[in-house]
Amino acid sequence: MFDLQQTVMEKFDTLEEVFRFVSEEKKHVARLPLKEFWESGARFHGDGYLGIGSNSFGFNPIGFGALNKMVGISDRALLKLEAPELASNVLNDLFGQELSVSGKASNSDIIIDENAGTVIGIVSRQYLGYSNDAFLRDVLICLDEDNNGALFPTTGDLVFKSAYSINSQLFLRLSTKSVKGVVSGRGGTSDDVSEIGIEATNTMAGGHAVRLSSYVFRLICANGLVAQVSGSTGRVIHTGSNVSFRERISSSTNGLLSDLGRTKKMIETLGGIEFAPRQLARFADLKSLFSIVPNRDLKREAFERARGKGYGEHSSEDRKLSRLTDAISQIPFCLDGVEARSVFSSYWRDGATMYDFINVFTEHAKSLPIDQKIKTETNAGALAVWISKNKRRFA
């Protein structure tokens, strides 16, 4: 069985913490040409390492997944091999074949976290190396030109909310001071305000472009929501010259900042749509809906909770839709957050809205590990965008 090392994940509560981290990170994340390393005698050994003697590196799940994708084998299959050195021998054979025919491995670099002694990713030679330290400074220059050359950059019109690092992928979240979404309704004396801003993401280990997304922070319950932006505004591929790459980041950042009003409108639209599980059952991508929370069979749980209801008077087609509707209605109780219970179990505000339903997932995300939290918030953001774009179906 091939042994894997843990993926390093960090959370930062201040911008100063982020700067300290990325400054150190760029010193110990390195690239190593895979073909040259192999030709120098590096081999898989010990069912967990690639290298020669002391110059060997382990793998975390992300690096291992990239490795196996390159040679066309399932990482799950390799992890099931129990005979000693069998997984290493299989990988040695497959990589030997790949390199002999000048496949992808011949034109690839492994990304190494030298502090951990771990392979964290694989990239092509054309992949433009871009440290999180440079990324952070470039984004802040886009927000405030006075940051160009500043020792201690500021966030301009935005406020630092949080930041995360997963396997060298940095997530920076900032909220604007001027654009906020307000949802009206019964329940309390103050407005239900959501701060709106951006999430900027970069990686040093391949597999992801620079991505810029809208970020929403609902103050009433401290939940985060990530709505990814499609097209050239949302993604900047790690290719080209350093100059053109930075120009594209600047253009994308400015484009997203000028478009935050759309996110404000989306939140207010969701707050004005009554929670309608039957319409979700009819029109939503059900596979995506039940997969918003990773590593959890939410569909099975929801149908289990909805069991026992009678549908004898329904036609076969309506019976299926009614069962699905009842299952979706149970999702807030499957995830069982305090806020979800207060909204979906009592007379709160003007009744539960689609924004409240989205926040069932983002509330639950706060209890998850960092990688699952971000995935859940991003998946919930995709559902929010879809509901907003299809609001007429919920009229």
Side-chain angles (χ1 to χ4, degrees):
M1 183 174 181
F2 205 89
D3 291 326
L4 300 179
Q5 302 178 17
Q6 287 188 338
T7 300
V8 176
M9 295 184 283
E10 302 275 356
K11 180 181 183 295
F12 311 101
D13 297 315
T14 67
L15 189 58
E16 289 73 19
E17 290 179 11
V18 183
F19 269 112
R20 284 197 295 270
F21 177 83
V22 297
S23 178
E24 288 300 313
E25 179 187 46
K26 68 179 180 181
K27 299 175 184 177
H28 60 78
V29 173
R31 295 171 69 153
L32 183 62
L34 184 52
K35 183 176 182 180
E36 285 83 340
F37 194 39
W38 185 268
E39 290 177 345
S40 70
R43 293 293 183 273
F44 294 93
H45 63 89
D47 286 335
Y49 299 93
L50 170 64
I52 318 165
S54 60
N55 189 26
S56 295
F57 304 96
F59 289 82
N60 67 14
I62 297 174
F64 191 63
L67 175 87
N68 291 308
K69 182 179 180 181
M70 176 177 290
V71 294
I73 190 171
S74 165
D75 48 347
R76 291 183 180 181
L78 278 176
L79 291 173
K80 290 180 179 179
L81 299 178
E82 295 184 353
E85 293 295 328
L86 180 56
S88 295
N89 290 334
V90 169
L91 285 169
N92 283 328
D93 182 70
L94 291 173
F95 260 85
Q97 295 179 43
E98 177 76 12
L99 288 166
S100 67
V101 296
S102 298
K104 290 182 180 179
S106 299
N107 191 38
S108 297
D109 295 343
I110 52 176
I111 306 296
I112 299 165
D113 181 340
E114 293 179 324
N115 279 1
T118 306
V119 175
I120 63 174
I122 299 178
V123 299
S124 74
R125 295 281 176 86
Q126 287 71 43
Y127 182 87
L128 180 64
Y130 187 49
S131 73
N132 286 325
D133 182 77
F135 167 72
L136 180 59
R137 294 181 184 278
D138 285 344
V139 168
L140 294 180
I141 289 172
C142 294
L143 302 180
D144 186 350
E145 291 182 358
D146 290 340
N147 285 327
N148 194 359
L151 184 60
F152 301 105
T154 65
T155 55
D157 183 54
L158 294 124
V159 177
F160 176 86
K161 295 302 296 184
S162 60
Y164 304 91
S165 174
I166 304 173
N167 198 55
S168 91
Q169 187 174 14
L170 180 69
F171 299 81
L172 174 68
R173 293 175 170 181
L174 306 166
S175 293
T176 181
K177 301 173 186 176
S178 56
V179 182
K180 299 183 186 299
V182 180
V183 179
S184 61
R186 193 178 291 114
T189 58
S190 59
D191 289 329
D192 181 353
V193 178
S194 292
E195 295 180 345
I196 294 170
I198 66 172
E199 178 186 83
T201 305
N202 178 60
T203 180
M204 299 169 65
H208 301 274
V210 168
R211 181 174 286 281
L212 300 170
S213 308
S214 297
Y215 174 69
V216 179
F217 187 78
R218 193 177 188 183
L219 295 179
I220 196 171
C221 46
N223 291 348
L225 175 72
V226 178
Q228 294 190 345
V229 180
S230 61
S232 59
T233 299
R235 298 176 72 246
V236 183
I237 306 297
H238 281 249
T239 57
S241 69
N242 285 313
V243 173
S244 67
F245 185 62
R246 283 173 165 81
E247 287 175 348
R248 283 181 284 138
I249 288 176
S250 177
S251 175
S252 294
T253 303
N254 292 330
L256 177 59
L257 288 173
S258 65
D259 206 32
L260 290 181
R262 288 191 182 184
T263 305
K264 175 183 184 316
K265 184 178 180 180
M266 179 187 76
I267 295 307
E268 293 171 349
T269 296
L270 292 172
I273 301 175
E274 182 180 352
F275 174 54
R278 192 172 184 86
Q279 298 302 87
L280 286 170
R282 289 180 64 194
F283 300 116
D285 181 338
L286 298 176
K287 182 178 180 181
S288 297
L289 175 62
F290 285 116
S291 302
I292 288 177
V293 180
N295 302 329
R296 184 161 180 169
D297 191 350
L298 195 56
K299 182 177 181 179
R300 180 190 59 77
E301 293 179 42
F303 273 95
E304 282 290 326
R305 288 189 64 96
R307 284 180 64 185
K309 296 191 177 183
Y311 305 97
E313 297 179 358
H314 296 253
S315 65
S316 59
E317 183 177 344
D318 190 54
R319 188 181 304 125
K320 180 180 180 181
L321 180 61
S322 295
R323 282 175 173 162
L324 186 54
T325 298
D326 290 338
I328 292 173
S329 299
Q330 292 301 315
I331 289 177
F333 308 102
C334 292
L335 299 181
D336 197 32
V338 174
E339 298 146 19
R341 287 199 304 271
S342 71
V343 174
F344 289 89
S345 301
S346 64
Y347 186 64
W348 187 83
R349 295 192 356 166
D350 295 327
T353 68
M354 283 302 191
Y355 194 29
D356 296 319
F357 182 61
I358 294 296
N359 275 268
V360 167
F361 298 101
T362 55
E363 177 191 9
H364 180 70
K366 293 188 291 189
S367 66
L368 299 175
I370 291 173
D371 54 345
Q372 295 181 38
K373 165 186 164 65
I374 291 175
K375 185 66 174 175
T376 299
E377 291 170 343
T378 302
N379 290 342
L383 178 61
V385 170
W386 179 84
I387 294 172
S388 179
K389 288 182 176 180
N390 291 272
K391 60 183 178 182
R392 292 183 180 179
R393 291 182 172 179
F394 297 90

